[in-house]
Amino acid sequence: MKNKTLGRPRTFDAGQVLDQAVQVFWTKGYDAASVDDLVLAMGMSKPSLYNAFGDKQALFMRCLERYGETVGARALGAMSNAEGARDAAHAYLAQAARNATGDDTPAGCLIACIAPVVDHAGVRAFLATAITAADEAIADRLAAGVASGELPADFPARQRARRITDLSMSIALRARVGATRAELLVAAAEGAELALGPC
């Protein structure tokens, strides 16, 4: 009797295999990550990979999106859950430090440390959009602090939001070159104070 499943396309969890690809790019960088590395990590054949995600550049774009939706979203979530604007700024940067020094993930950040050196228009556009979105989300949270009276009426929310975004990227870079989580949590606390200091 023939096996009725013979010849059926292999099914897989797209999120799970993208997470594996994220790990490869995050560890090795874009150029050093080979298709063979990706195939091995994702548990897929080359034809299946290409059929599901396209070429290496297209897969990298999907990985950036996946990273933003998972790891990257944690900092915004921590900010949203904080009580006030000052705690929100600290929570955002502290979570950035934790993201960059995970126990089971490479040091640094896929978006801040790996993607900027990829010479691809789509990647540059993604980064510009992601940075702008972070700026706007942080600015909105700081503006809420102004509205509540926690921050001064003339507090430059958008300017300070950009500073916080820049600090989060600096934290990721420091992690990539060996800074510890403890060191970066101190930097996050100090950075939040500087960002929300006198106008």
Side-chain angles (χ1 to χ4, degrees):
M1 184 175 181
K2 291 185 178 180
N3 186 341
K4 292 184 179 181
T5 64
L6 190 63
R8 287 183 181 175
R10 179 180 175 184
T11 60
F12 58 88
D13 183 314
Q16 187 175 51
V17 297
L18 281 172
D19 288 340
Q20 297 303 317
V22 164
Q23 292 293 311
V24 174
F25 285 125
W26 193 353
T27 302
K28 295 194 167 192
Y30 179 79
D31 289 334
S34 69
V35 173
D36 285 340
D37 293 329
L38 293 162
V39 163
L40 180 63
M42 298 168 76
M44 303 176 71
S45 67
K46 286 184 182 180
S48 294
L49 187 153
Y50 289 130
N51 287 336
F53 301 109
D55 62 12
K56 180 180 168 182
Q57 284 188 344
L59 175 60
F60 186 66
M61 291 297 301
R62 291 287 299 275
C63 286
L64 290 177
E65 293 168 0
R66 177 69 176 175
Y67 182 92
E69 294 163 356
T70 54
V71 179
R74 294 174 194 160
L76 292 174
M79 180 180 71
S80 297
N81 291 330
E83 288 291 329
R86 291 186 177 278
D87 286 343
H90 180 224
Y92 183 89
L93 291 172
Q95 187 60 52
R98 295 186 187 96
N99 288 350
T101 54
D103 295 331
D104 301 316
T105 56
C109 168
L110 185 69
I111 289 175
C113 302
I114 305 301
V117 299
V118 179
D119 186 17
H120 183 259
V123 172
R124 290 191 292 274
F126 177 91
L127 291 175
T129 299
I131 291 169
T132 297
D135 288 344
E136 290 178 352
I138 298 167
D140 288 346
R141 188 67 184 83
L142 298 181
V146 174
S148 70
E150 180 186 0
L151 297 174
D154 60 349
F155 185 83
R158 294 197 175 280
Q159 180 192 72
R160 299 303 174 84
R162 289 192 297 271
R163 184 176 296 180
I164 291 169
T165 301
D166 292 346
L167 284 167
S168 71
M169 298 179 78
S170 173
I171 283 170
L173 288 170
R174 287 183 179 276
R176 190 73 175 180
V177 298
T180 66
R181 176 177 290 185
E183 292 170 337
L184 293 174
L185 287 173
V186 171
E190 293 174 346
E193 286 300 315
L194 286 171
L196 299 185
C199 298

